[in-house]
Amino acid sequence: MREALSPPLYLASTSVYRQQLLSKLTTAFTAVKPEVDETPLPAETASQLVHRLALAKANSIASTLQCGLVIGSDQVAIFANEIIGKPHTTENAVKQLTRFSGHTVTFLTGLALVNADTGRAQVVVEPFDVTFRHLSDAEIDAYIAKEQPLDCAGSFKSEGLGITLFSSLNGNDPNSLIGLPLIRLNALLLNEGVNVLL
């Protein structure tokens, strides 16, 4: 049976990964595709980018509603002061993982919760560090062939075999690495008077 939340909850994302994560808290939400240009602005930092896009995604859905809470999220990886996106091709995934071998990559996840009724917006940026062990070319090729992480920033799925690539993880919420920091989201929901336990 699907539980009911009041006010209604919306996820401004069609990401399967984010929907699966949010389902850990509640199944009472509607996923909607946001219409947002994700092109970085000139001189925009990674933190500013994910903050702006998470809020823009939430607002793009909230602006069409009379009431409800809308969750927006955006994530980038940073390595050597450079924003790292999704690889999209096997060749790019090999390049990314080869660069990361033996190094630490920081993931920044922007999270926004917008109240469509009041216009109140809460936005946070959650960091998470991933340190890769030294990887052989054969390990990189085998991992990519097995898991096909071509639609994932950083070329891995930490919830799957990607965990074998790391020597350590450091952050407040491992869910943020997958794209939705549930600990922070729960706090934002509580600020709006929504307790998923009650």
Side-chain angles (χ1 to χ4, degrees), residues 3 5 9 22 24-26 186 189-190 194-198:
E3 74 241 53
L5 280 183
L9 189 63
L22 184 53
K24 290 182 179 183
L25 296 186
T26 178
N186 189 58
L189 288 169
L190 287 170
V194 174
N195 187 325
V196 297
L197 294 178
L198 301 178

Side-chain angles (χ1 to χ4, degrees), residues 38-123:
E38 299 190 26
T39 306
L41 300 176
E44 189 173 40
T45 67
S47 182
Q48 290 168 338
L49 174 66
V50 296
H51 184 285
R52 177 176 63 83
L53 290 181
L55 182 57
K57 289 175 181 180
N59 277 330
S60 76
I61 305 304
S63 65
T64 69
L65 303 171
Q66 302 246 323
C67 68
L69 298 175
V70 185
I71 302 161
S73 187
D74 193 76
Q75 183 183 68
V76 296
I78 307 166
F79 181 68
N81 294 318
E82 180 185 324
I83 293 177
I84 306 295
K86 297 173 183 177
H88 298 298
T89 68
T90 297
E91 181 184 9
N92 287 339
V94 169
K95 285 179 183 174
Q96 284 189 0
L97 292 178
T98 301
R99 284 185 72 198
F100 300 161
S101 178
H103 298 285
T104 298
V105 178
T106 298
F107 285 79
L108 295 178
T109 304
L111 173 67
L113 184 68
V114 174
N115 186 320
D117 180 38
T118 65
R120 178 186 187 191
Q122 303 176 73
V123 190

